[in-house]
Amino acid sequence: MVKISIVIPAYNEEKRIVDTIQAYLVMFDKEYKNAYEIIVVPNNCTDNTAAIVAGVAKKHDNIKIKDIRHYVGKSGAIVEGLKIAKGNLIGFVDADNSAPPESFLKLIKEIKENDGAIGSRWVKGAEV
């Protein structure tokens, strides 16, 4: 049973996507064992992002990839990831790990009975 789905839109992120995926794997393996999935959506990449993610996905059953070879933009990539997400809670993070897994996990734990939550670095009192 998938409890958490994490969508990661990616455009030419071959240099940092593995670090981001690994950081989320370490944190969410501790917290959710196999009850989560990471969906990486490379979009219109001209580098090796999709191949690199596919290689990582071969080693981890909970990593999915949806390679979109034409331009749909960040929001389009997020939407495509949301379409295949199976989690009870679904969120997205940037491929550059600007929101570390600890922040995403905190957001999940704070959602409680709310229908949604948004993390922002720009809100007064935000912890960056």
Side-chain angles (χ1 to χ4, degrees), residues 7 9-10 16 24 32 34-35 46-47 59 93 97 100 114 116 122-123:
V7 176
R16 51 188 174 186
Y24 276 85
Y32 293 99
N34 292 324
T46 57
D47 68 0
K59 299 174 188 165
V93 297
N97 208 17
N114 295 297
W122 306 108
V123 174

Side-chain angles (χ1 to χ4, degrees), residues 1-75:
M1 173 185 166
V2 176
K3 187 171 186 174
I4 308 292
S5 294
I6 305 163
V7 176
I8 305 176
Y11 173 71
N12 290 346
E13 296 288 351
E14 70 181 6
K15 290 184 173 34
R16 51 188 174 186
I17 193 67
V18 172
D19 290 341
T20 299
I21 292 170
Q22 287 296 112
Y24 276 85
L25 283 170
V26 168
M27 178 63 63
F28 281 79
D29 276 349
K30 285 183 202 170
E31 293 289 327
Y32 293 99
K33 307 286 183 238
N34 292 324
Y36 74 97
E37 65 182 355
I38 297 172
I39 302 165
V40 183
V41 187
N43 173 227
N44 199 37
C45 293
T46 57
D47 68 0
N48 291 316
T49 300
I52 290 168
V53 174
V56 175
K58 286 181 183 179
K59 299 174 188 165
H60 301 276
D61 291 338
N62 57 340
I63 297 177
K64 313 288 185 257
I65 181 171
K66 179 164 187 178
D67 186 15
I68 303 172
R69 296 178 187 238
H70 60 281
Y71 179 79
V72 295
K74 180 178 179 179
S75 61

Side-chain angles (χ1 to χ4, degrees), residues 63-126:
I63 297 177
K64 313 288 185 257
I65 181 171
K66 179 164 187 178
D67 186 15
I68 303 172
R69 296 178 187 238
H70 60 281
Y71 179 79
V72 295
K74 180 178 179 179
S75 61
I78 292 167
V79 167
E80 292 304 311
L82 296 176
K83 286 179 183 178
I84 62 174
K86 302 210 182 316
N88 298 330
L89 291 173
I90 304 168
F92 72 90
V93 297
D94 290 337
D96 66 358
N97 208 17
S98 59
E102 297 83 6
S103 296
F104 192 82
L105 186 60
K106 182 178 179 183
L107 195 63
I108 289 169
K109 290 183 176 187
E110 294 294 324
I111 197 165
K112 298 182 173 124
E113 298 301 316
N114 295 297
D115 292 332
I118 299 172
S120 173
R121 292 178 288 222
W122 306 108
V123 174
K124 184 178 179 180

